[in-house]
């Protein structure tokens, strides 16, 4: 996985997209990536870039209202899941994370904390944050 930005360095949207595309090209089946951060930090932008890098069969769009979007990519299935609209963690049981895991799909999970215990354990976490410069984001990869 591409490394986090060095301490003190912040990413433009274009740099975030390039990093996401490299990450998408390197993903392997079964990866579960948590995309964390406040509203507007670039989680969906990063997920879209990851899908481009994975050569998904369609342009990724925000699943905020549908909750789950499914794409076929060069490494298999990619699920982009957005739990922002969940009111309580039990609503996540209907998202069928168990089926995604059985499929060895790649899961990009926004707002994983809202899914509670239903969220599959991450293979990595990407945390995005606002900076003093509204054109840049801080990123941490774990």
């Amino acid at each position: 996985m591409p490394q986090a930005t060095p301490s003190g360095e912040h990413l433009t949207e274009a740099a975030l997209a390039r990093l996401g595309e490299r990450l998408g090209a390197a993903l392997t089946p079964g990866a579960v990536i948590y995309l964390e951060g406040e509203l507007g930090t670039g989680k969906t932008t990063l997920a879209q870039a990851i899908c481009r890098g994975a050569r998904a069969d369609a342009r990724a769009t925000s699943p905020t209202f549908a909750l789950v979007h499914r794409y076929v990519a060069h490494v298999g299935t990619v699920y982009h899941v957005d739990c922002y609209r969940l009111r309580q963690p039990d609503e996540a049981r209907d998202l069928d994370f168990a089926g995604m895991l059985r499929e060895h799909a790649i899961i990009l999970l926004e707002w994983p904390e809202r899914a509670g215990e239903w969220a599959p354990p991450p293979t990595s976490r990407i945390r995005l944050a606002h900076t003093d410069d509204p054109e840049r984001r801080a990123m941490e990869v774990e």
Side-chain angles (χ1 to χ4, degrees):
M1 171 171 292
Q3 294 298 307
T5 56
S7 181
E9 183 179 340
H10 298 140
L11 299 170
T12 63
E13 185 174 332
L16 184 65
R18 285 190 302 272
L19 186 68
E21 288 172 358
R22 286 196 313 269
L23 174 58
L27 284 177
T28 57
V32 178
I33 312 296
Y34 280 13
L35 302 174
E36 301 173 324
E38 297 175 3
L39 281 173
T41 54
K43 295 179 299 297
T44 298
T45 297
L46 182 59
Q48 290 169 330
I50 291 169
C51 287
R52 277 194 310 276
R55 298 193 321 257
D57 63 343
R59 182 184 179 279
T61 58
S62 175
T64 299
F65 294 102
L67 301 181
V68 179
H69 285 171
R70 179 182 184 274
Y71 303 100
V72 176
H74 77 285
V75 293
T77 303
V78 176
Y79 287 96
H80 181 191
V81 183
D82 187 339
C83 293
Y84 180 74
R85 293 186 59 229
L86 297 182
R87 294 175 304 244
Q88 56 189 359
D90 281 347
E91 292 177 326
R93 83 173 145 249
D94 296 331
L95 299 177
D96 193 25
F97 286 119
M100 294 176 203
L101 292 171
R102 278 192 305 276
E103 191 178 339
H104 298 290
I106 293 167
I107 302 171
L108 307 176
L109 181 54
E110 295 188 46
W111 301 95
E113 68 279 5
R114 294 188 180 207
E117 65 185 32
W118 296 100
T123 54
S124 56
R125 294 173 185 265
I126 300 174
R127 292 183 185 95
L128 297 168
H130 294 286
T131 67
D132 292 338
D133 180 347
E135 301 299 316
R136 295 179 179 271
R137 299 293 180 259
M139 185 178 83
E140 177 184 322
V141 178
E142 182 182 301

